[in-house]
């Protein structure tokens, strides 16, 4: 068992363990921190797979952006130190059952399928990503790239509209 | 004078009046009557010109009156074979009817200006009158049987509207409904008759229809005679159904029950619609199709004659007992229409045999004059004493001299006293009956005596009997002017050589009066008058004692032979109880229950499954996941 | 030797952990966090497939990048909605926003 394998198992354990804690912890703030670790673990797996660019993006956007955003919203909506309400046991049971069944089904399929792996495993060089991102030729991604940028713009405007202060009579109508 | 424009204007002017008065009646208020009267006057003048031209200048070719169709436009086109025309047809009877309708309508319009003065719905009343006149003229001028039907229904509607004119009076509302339902019921027969006739005749057009169904051994006639239902040929069925339609409109026994009740309408309306014009539509219809009846179905025509005769005598009997003067006149109308109908029934087609036809049309003409006069006179009396009942009247001859004299002339005319108009037409009818069907002749003779009796009973009870106590006064000039004009007409119309103008085949018919023949009916008429004078000339106890001695017989006749009650029994106890109630039960408990049951089952199911829509996102998520897993298992392992 | 199946095991486990969280959590923010986990498992799949099955094309990588971008947008919108809900309902428990039933 070489070092790479050990590192992989460590990363996998970290990712799955903190993900499990993130979805079960009764304290929301801790839950967010576990999520953070899980995401970092996934970034580690990207590093391990030799996809440094994706790992960087994962760290910057998820860890630096989304999780921070989530933590902010927790601060805005939650009283500190308050436990999350306990889910109903029937709900827990059914959810666990459904998740386990789905997991088993997918896993069985993966193991039965018999993937034929390539001998020369791939990686992603940053210059190739950059070129193709703006290329319109074979394998070029300029159009989806623009599309995503429009989507981000729309999301931004949408956030502003949703979060904007309503005029007084409108908000009173909603409250009533 | 016979151009399409001129003839078309005759019915279209009243239609214009109807539209104007309906739209602007409120604004026109005091002038509504004047406007309507002027329009009818123009129409009547045009009719007069057309009639003169037709009868004395253009109409006759080689001594035969031609059928002229100045206008025939396609109205509804269904396919190449079947289309419905709207047109104008001129022949002796339609021109004669035009004259009658416009003349009586004009008189009634003039009269109504005073009679209806101060009514709240003055303009509406005239609008309805105009609508009626339009429809009646359209009916008379129809070139095909479907156009006839169309205007026939319009006439029915306007009659309904006018009977129910005082719609705040429950009896008027009931009467209008009764009239509408009874005639509607008969019209159903008419419609089926039209379908049968036109199916075999291959056309709706009167001329084609008559030609197809009277020429011997045409394929159409053979087919119509061969096809049979319940042992009666299709042709006879079609013709009898058409006759049933006519009988309903003309109030022949046993479909007469609506006519006496129709007297709830304003009296001028009764004069126009329920005496002179609309009720003779049935006679006109049979006359219009007369060649088919006379040539292809003579035994049916004989049956029609019997229906007419029975109507005549029953109505005359009932008229002797009624005390409401308008009802007496209504039954008298029914009786006289019976006369016209059996005159058609005893007639043959063409030549001397067609005497009955001529007589019927002649009587239609004279009857329109004197019956309208009687109704208008009765209207004047009712206007003066504010009552319809005989015992509120009496001794009015001093207060209302003009009404008195014109009423007397009309009574003499209807009683058949020479030389007034009724004498001539009645003699012709009796002669035709005598020549063709002796039993009907005797019935007619008795009826004619009864007619004289009940008319003079009416006359004496209104104008003599007891001295008048109230302060009734003569009608206004606008009201008595039509009375006088009609009285002149009723007196002298008999001198028109009618046989020269109107006959079944268009050729002139020279009828001569046999003095010896006239003795019996005239003597009987005078006898009736004398009895009436003896009983009712002065107030006395004789009528009451006769009434009590006749006992149950009198009661039966007084209650109109319980025919209304028979109808009520039939509808309530038979139709409602045996057919309508089970039908309603099935509707309620089977059909409705099935519908309601399916609705309530759906409702229960939906109220149960709607709880799945809990609004909880996570439950939806669970369903979704379960669905996806289920589908995946299905596709991967089971399929 | 670590192969494709190992990575797919991680991503599948991550996916169903996210599903479990989404179905049991009652707080909207934690539900959002569960959704992030689901998205990450998908990203991991893309990368794994790219590396082991089809390294010649770059689609797997690009999809990962785009999914991350869309996830960022989604998180921003979701949080805006959650904060608005908090303003009107004074709570971000999912059971309090049940008006859309029946």
């Amino acid at each position: 068992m070489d070092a790479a394998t050990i590192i992989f198992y460590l990363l996998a354990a970290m990712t799955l363990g903190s993900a499990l804690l993130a979805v079960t912890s009764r304290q929301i703030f801790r839950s967010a921190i576990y999520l953070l670790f899980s995401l970092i673990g996934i970034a580690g797996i990207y590093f391990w797979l030799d996809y440094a660019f994706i790992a960087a993006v994962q760290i910057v956007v998820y860890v630096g952006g989304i999780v921070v955003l989530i933590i902010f919203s927790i601060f805005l909506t939650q009283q500190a130190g308050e436990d999350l309400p306990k889910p109903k046991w029937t709900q827990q049971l059914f959810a666990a059952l459904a998740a386990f069944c789905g997991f088993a089904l997918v896993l069985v399929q993966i193991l039965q399928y018999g993937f034929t792996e390539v001998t020369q495993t791939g990686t992603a060089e940053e210059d190739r990503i950059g070129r193709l991102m703006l290329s319109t030729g074979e394998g070029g991604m300029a159009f989806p790239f623009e599309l995503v940028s429009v989507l981000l713009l729309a999301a931004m405007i949408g956030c502003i509209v949703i979060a904007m202060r309503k005029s007084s009579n409108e908000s009173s109508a909603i409250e009533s | 004078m016979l151009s399409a424009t001129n003839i078309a204007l005759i019915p279209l002017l009243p239609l214009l009046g109807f539209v104007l008065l309906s739209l602007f009646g409120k604004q026109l208020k005091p002038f509504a009557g004047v406007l309507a009267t002027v329009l009818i006057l123009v129409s009547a003048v045009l009719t007069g010109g057309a009639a003169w031209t037709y009868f004395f200048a253009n109409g006759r070719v080689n001594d035969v009156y031609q059928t002229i169709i100045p206008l025939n436009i396609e109205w509804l086109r269904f396919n190449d074979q079947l289309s419905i025309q709207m047109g104008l047809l001129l022949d002796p009877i339609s021109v004669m009817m035009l004259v009658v309708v416009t003349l009586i309508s004009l008189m009634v319009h003039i009269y109504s200006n005073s009679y209806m003065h101060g009514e709240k719905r003055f303009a509406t009343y005239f609008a309805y009158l105009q609508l009626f006149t339009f429809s009646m003229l359209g009916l008379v001028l129809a070139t095909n049987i479907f156009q006839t039907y169309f205007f026939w229904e319009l006439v029915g509607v306007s009659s309904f509207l006018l009977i129910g004119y005082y719609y705040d009076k429950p009896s008027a509302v009931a009467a209008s409904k009764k009239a509408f339902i009874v005639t509607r019921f008969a019209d159903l027969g008419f419609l089926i008759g039209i379908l049968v006739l036109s199916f075999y005749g291959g056309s709706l057009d009167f001329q084609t229809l008559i030609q197809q169904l009277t020429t011997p051994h045409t394929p159409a006639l053979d087919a119509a005679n061969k096809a049979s239902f319940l042992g009666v040929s299709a042709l006879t069925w079609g013709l009898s159904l058409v006759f049933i339609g006519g009988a309903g409109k003309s109030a022949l026994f046993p479909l007469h029950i609506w006519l006496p009740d129709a007297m709830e309408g304003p009296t001028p309306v009764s004069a126009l619609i329920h005496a002179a014009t609309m009720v003779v539509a049935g006679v006109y219809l049979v006359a219009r199709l007369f060649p088919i009846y006379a040539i292809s179905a003579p035994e049916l025509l004989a049956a029609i004659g019997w229906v007419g005769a029975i109507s005549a005598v029953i109505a005359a009997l009932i008229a002797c007992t009624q005390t409401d003067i308008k009802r007496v006149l209504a039954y008298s109308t029914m009786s006289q229409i019976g006369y016209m109908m059996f005159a058609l029934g005893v007639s043959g087609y063409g030549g001397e045999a067609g005497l009955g036809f001529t007589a019927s049309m002649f009587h239609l003409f004279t009857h329109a004059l004197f019956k309208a006069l009687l109704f208008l006179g009765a209207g004047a009396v009712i206007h003066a004493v504010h009552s319809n009942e005989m015992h509120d009247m009496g001794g009015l001859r001093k207060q209302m001299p003009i009404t008195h004299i014109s009423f007397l002339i009309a009574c003499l005319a209807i009683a058949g006293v020479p030389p007034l108009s009724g004498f001539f037409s009645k003699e012709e009818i009796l002669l035709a009956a005598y020549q063709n069907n002796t039993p009907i002749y005797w019935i007619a003779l008795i009826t004619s005596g009864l007619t004289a009796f009940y008319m003079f009973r009416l006359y004496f009870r209104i104008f003599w009997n007891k001295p008048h106590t109230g302060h009734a006064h003569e009608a206004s000039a606008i009201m008595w002017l039509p009375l006088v004009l009609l009285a002149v007409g009723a007196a002298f119309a008999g001198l028109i050589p009618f046989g020269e103008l109107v006959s079944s085949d268009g050729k002139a018919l020279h009828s001569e009066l046999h003095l010896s023949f006239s003795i019996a009916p005239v003597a009987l008429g005078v006898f009736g008058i004398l009895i009436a004078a003896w009983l009712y000339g002065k107030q006395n106890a004789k009528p009451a004692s006769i009434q009590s001695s006749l006992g149950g017989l009198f009661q039966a006749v007084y209650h109109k032979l319980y025919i209304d009650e028979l109808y009520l029994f039939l509808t309530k106890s038979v139709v409602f109880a045996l057919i309508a109630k089970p039908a309603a039960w099935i509707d309620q408990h089977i059909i409705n229950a099935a519908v309601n049951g399916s609705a309530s089952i759906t409702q229960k199911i939906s109220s149960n499954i709607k709880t799945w829509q809990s609004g909880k996102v996570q439950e939806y998520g669970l369903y979704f996941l379960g669905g996806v897993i289920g589908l995946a298992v299905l596709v991967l392992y089971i399929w | 030797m670590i192969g494709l199946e190992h990575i797919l095991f991680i991503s599948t486990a991550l996916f169903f952990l996210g599903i479990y969280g989404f179905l049991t959590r009652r707080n909207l923010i934690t539900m959002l966090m569960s959704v992030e986990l689901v998205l990450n498992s998908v990203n991991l799949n893309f990368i794994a497939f790219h590396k082991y099955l089809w390294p010649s094309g770059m689609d797997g990588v690009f999809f990962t990048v785009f999914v991350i971008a869309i996830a960022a947008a989604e998180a921003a919108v979701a949080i805006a909605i959650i904060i608005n809900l908090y303003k009107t309902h004074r709570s971000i428990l999912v059971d309090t926003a049940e008006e859309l039933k029946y």
Side-chain angles (χ1 to χ4, degrees):
Chain A
M1 194 181 272
D2 57 355
T5 317
I6 294 169
I7 291 172
F8 174 77
Y9 282 123
L10 282 177
L11 284 172
M14 170 183 167
T15 309
L16 292 182
S18 49
L20 182 66
L21 286 170
V23 296
T24 51
S25 169
R26 295 278 311 281
Q27 285 194 315
I28 191 164
F29 192 75
R30 282 189 193 170
S31 181
I33 298 302
Y34 287 132
L35 175 70
L36 183 74
F37 280 112
S38 181
L39 295 177
I40 290 173
I42 290 169
I45 292 175
Y46 291 152
F47 271 121
W48 186 88
L49 287 166
D50 212 4
Y51 284 76
F53 176 71
I54 302 297
V57 170
Q58 170 86 0
I59 299 269
V60 170
V61 176
Y62 266 110
V63 180
I66 294 173
V67 173
V68 171
L69 196 63
I70 286 173
I71 289 172
F72 262 117
S73 63
I74 290 172
F75 286 151
L76 278 172
T77 59
Q78 212 73 20
Q79 273 75 40
E82 205 174 72
D83 278 8
L84 287 174
K86 206 175 176 181
K88 277 182 287 187
W89 71 269
T90 47
Q91 199 180 357
Q92 251 175 322
L93 178 70
F94 281 119
L97 206 63
F100 182 76
C101 288
F103 178 66
L105 184 72
V106 173
L107 205 62
V108 167
Q109 289 299 313
I110 288 171
L111 295 178
Q112 278 180 349
Y113 187 77
F115 295 99
T116 50
E117 297 176 13
V118 290
T119 45
Q120 181 61 52
T121 53
T123 182
E125 305 85 9
E126 284 77 11
D127 64 330
R128 203 169 154 215
I129 293 174
R131 269 176 226 290
L132 279 177
M133 182 86 87
L134 297 176
S135 146
T136 54
E138 175 74 31
M141 288 287 173
F143 183 64
F145 177 66
E146 289 299 327
L147 217 59
V148 169
S149 63
V150 170
L151 178 85
L152 283 173
L153 182 66
M156 204 160 77
I157 295 170
C159 288
I160 294 169
V161 170
I162 291 172
M164 213 161 46
R165 180 180 289 275
K166 301 279 195 305
S167 61
S168 60
N169 55 353
E170 244 182 291
S171 61
S172 69
I174 288 167
E175 270 157 27
S176 67
Chain B
M1 278 315 282
L2 294 181
S3 71
T5 330
N6 278 348
I7 305 298
L9 271 180
I10 295 172
L12 288 181
L13 283 173
L15 179 64
L16 175 74
F18 167 65
V19 172
L20 286 180
L21 291 179
S22 319
L23 292 179
F24 309 113
K26 285 238 165 69
Q27 287 82 348
L28 282 169
K29 198 150 194 183
F31 302 106
V34 178
L35 175 71
T37 312
V38 167
L39 284 169
I40 292 293
L41 181 65
V42 176
S43 209
V45 167
L46 283 172
T47 306
W52 185 266
T53 322
Y54 182 82
F55 279 126
F56 302 111
N58 295 349
R60 202 193 305 235
V61 179
N62 298 331
D63 278 347
V64 176
Y65 280 111
Q66 301 296 307
T67 301
I68 301 176
I69 298 184
L71 181 72
N72 207 14
I73 51 173
E74 197 165 66
W75 175 47
L76 290 176
R77 184 184 177 83
F78 296 111
N79 56 33
D80 288 337
Q81 284 89 42
L82 183 62
S83 65
I84 293 174
Q85 258 91 30
M86 272 283 173
L88 307 167
L89 179 143
L90 294 180
D91 69 353
I93 56 172
S94 77
V95 174
M96 186 273 295
M97 278 297 283
L98 274 188
V99 173
V100 171
V101 174
T102 51
L103 186 67
I104 305 294
S105 185
L106 177 63
M107 293 305 148
V108 167
H109 271 80
I110 296 173
Y111 183 88
S112 299
N113 269 306
S114 171
Y115 188 85
M116 299 300 284
H117 187 75
E119 284 287 338
K120 222 181 207 168
R121 296 161 68 231
F122 188 66
T124 316
Y125 170 81
F126 277 98
Y128 289 165
L129 271 191
Q130 299 268 301
L131 176 64
F132 171 78
T133 311
F134 159 70
S135 334
M136 194 65 210
L137 291 169
L139 166 61
V140 165
L141 286 167
T143 55
N144 61 68
I145 198 162
F146 198 87
Q147 189 185 350
T148 308
Y149 183 71
F150 179 83
F151 283 105
W152 188 271
E153 294 299 336
L154 268 180
V155 165
V157 168
S158 34
S159 157
F160 167 77
L161 291 172
L162 282 166
I163 296 171
Y165 177 74
Y166 297 116
Y167 61 69
D168 44 2
K169 221 166 81 180
S171 59
V173 174
S176 64
K177 275 195 291 191
K178 190 172 178 184
F180 197 72
I181 291 167
V182 173
T183 50
R184 224 11 293 189
F185 187 70
D187 291 348
L188 178 67
F190 187 20
L191 182 60
I192 299 172
I194 290 176
L195 297 179
V196 172
L197 283 189
S198 53
F199 178 74
Y200 286 106
S203 169
L204 292 166
D205 202 58
F206 280 128
Q207 285 178 302
T208 326
L209 208 56
I210 288 171
Q211 193 248 326
Q212 284 285 322
L213 294 178
T214 53
T215 321
H217 304 303
T218 55
L221 184 60
D222 283 346
N225 274 327
K226 221 155 123 199
S228 78
F229 177 67
L230 297 179
V232 180
S233 78
L235 180 70
T236 313
W237 270 112
L239 289 173
S240 1
L241 287 166
V242 168
F243 171 69
I244 287 173
K249 209 56 128 200
S250 285
L252 290 178
F253 179 83
L255 293 172
H256 65 276
I257 51 164
W258 65 272
L259 184 61
D261 287 12
M263 296 302 135
E264 291 290 346
T267 310
V269 167
S270 309
L272 177 61
I273 301 184
H274 307 117
T277 53
M278 185 186 86
V279 287
V280 297
V283 180
Y284 178 76
L285 183 67
V286 175
R288 176 56 69 222
L289 293 171
F290 189 70
I292 307 182
Y293 281 101
I295 295 171
S296 304
E299 63 291 344
L300 177 64
L301 195 61
I304 291 174
W306 276 103
V307 172
I310 290 168
S311 302
V313 68
I314 284 181
L317 272 174
I318 298 175
C320 295
T321 60
Q322 298 299 305
T323 56
D324 178 324
I325 60 171
K326 283 182 76 180
R327 278 177 186 259
V328 174
L329 291 175
Y331 279 107
S332 146
T333 304
M334 180 184 156
S335 166
Q336 299 302 309
I337 291 168
Y339 253 78
M340 298 171 208
M341 216 38 127
F342 79 67
L344 285 178
V346 298
S347 174
Y349 181 73
E352 286 294 318
L355 178 66
F357 182 89
T358 305
S360 172
M361 291 298 111
F362 193 13
H363 197 61
L364 192 160
F365 183 73
T366 56
H367 170 256
L369 292 172
F370 56 69
K371 188 48 68 62
L373 173 55
L374 282 170
F375 266 105
L376 294 183
V381 171
I382 290 167
H383 204 65
V385 301
H386 303 292
S387 167
N388 281 10
E389 289 297 322
M390 282 179 181
H391 54 74
D392 292 330
M393 301 165 186
L396 285 170
R397 68 184 183 282
K398 295 255 169 57
Q399 281 88 346
M400 312 180 75
I402 300 170
T403 312
H404 169 224
I405 297 299
S406 51
F407 205 86
L408 177 61
I409 291 173
C411 285
L412 289 171
I414 194 172
V417 173
L420 300 168
S421 59
F423 166 73
F424 295 95
S425 52
K426 209 174 255 185
E427 289 310 300
E428 258 184 43
I429 289 180
L430 289 173
L431 185 61
Y434 182 72
Q435 285 167 355
N436 290 293
N437 195 331
T438 330
I440 288 186
Y441 169 72
W442 289 108
I443 292 176
L445 206 58
I446 294 165
T447 310
S448 120
L450 283 172
T451 307
F453 170 71
Y454 69 70
M455 282 322 296
F456 275 87
R457 168 174 175 264
L458 183 66
Y459 165 76
F460 283 118
R461 290 212 55 174
I462 295 177
F463 294 103
W464 296 76
N465 204 308
K466 55 189 180 192
H468 189 67
T469 46
H471 39 76
H473 51 82
E474 182 56 275
S476 66
I478 301 176
M479 268 163 80
W480 63 250
L481 181 71
L483 294 183
V484 172
L485 291 174
L486 283 171
V488 172
F492 300 111
L495 303 177
I496 297 173
F498 214 77
E500 306 280 335
L501 305 177
V502 178
S503 65
S504 52
D505 54 0
K507 297 191 189 88
L509 177 71
H510 303 284
S511 59
E512 48 211 84
L513 235 49
H514 306 282
L515 274 179
S516 54
F517 180 78
S518 306
I519 291 170
V522 171
L524 210 56
V526 171
F527 181 59
I529 295 172
L530 290 177
I531 290 182
W534 179 61
L535 284 176
Y536 300 105
K538 287 248 162 50
Q539 198 167 18
N540 55 43
K542 277 171 277 179
S545 65
I546 292 173
Q547 263 179 37
S548 55
S549 67
L550 284 173
L553 198 61
F554 177 83
Q555 283 302 317
V557 178
Y558 180 72
H559 288 111
K560 307 153 206 169
L561 299 174
Y562 299 108
I563 291 167
D564 273 309
E565 281 73 12
L566 180 69
Y567 273 101
L568 270 184
F569 172 76
L570 274 180
T571 49
K572 282 219 172 112
S573 311
V574 180
V575 178
F576 287 177
L578 296 183
I579 299 171
K581 276 209 181 133
W585 189 87
I586 288 172
D587 187 53
Q588 276 295 315
H589 291 90
I590 295 177
I591 297 171
N592 217 0
V595 174
N596 285 345
S598 64
S600 67
I601 287 170
T602 313
Q603 199 179 23
K604 271 181 192 135
I605 291 174
S606 70
S607 72
N608 279 330
I609 62 173
K610 82 175 176 185
T611 51
W612 300 353
Q613 293 275 330
S614 58
K616 291 187 171 72
V617 180
Q618 286 162 325
E619 280 185 18
Y620 298 164
L622 197 58
Y623 300 148
F624 174 67
L625 187 68
V628 170
I629 293 175
L631 271 181
V633 168
L634 190 72
V635 170
L636 290 170
Y637 296 107
I638 296 173
W639 214 299
Chain C
M1 182 58 204
I2 305 294
L4 178 60
E5 278 86 359
H6 291 77
I7 302 191
L8 288 185
F9 175 84
I10 297 175
S11 75
T12 310
L14 208 55
F15 182 87
F16 283 101
L17 279 173
I19 292 283
Y20 173 77
F22 182 81
L23 293 183
T24 51
R25 291 293 198 169
R26 290 170 66 195
N27 187 306
L28 281 169
I29 293 176
T30 46
M31 283 172 74
L32 177 66
M33 282 154 50
S34 308
V35 173
E36 300 297 343
L37 282 179
V38 170
L39 284 168
N40 267 288
S41 83
V42 173
N43 282 350
L44 199 55
N45 254 7
F46 273 124
I47 294 296
F49 285 137
H50 179 253
K51 182 172 181 74
Y52 291 104
L53 296 181
W54 203 53
S56 53
M58 291 297 280
D59 311 81
V61 178
F62 279 117
F63 263 91
T64 308
V65 173
F66 291 150
V67 169
I68 291 174
I70 289 167
E74 172 251 329
V77 173
I79 283 171
I81 291 172
I82 289 169
I83 289 178
N84 237 347
L85 194 76
Y86 182 71
K87 273 200 238 162
T88 58
H89 287 71
R90 289 288 135 201
S91 163
I92 53 167
L93 294 187
V94 68
D95 340 9
T96 56
E98 280 187 350
E99 285 90 343
L100 277 177
K101 65 177 168 185
Y102 304 156

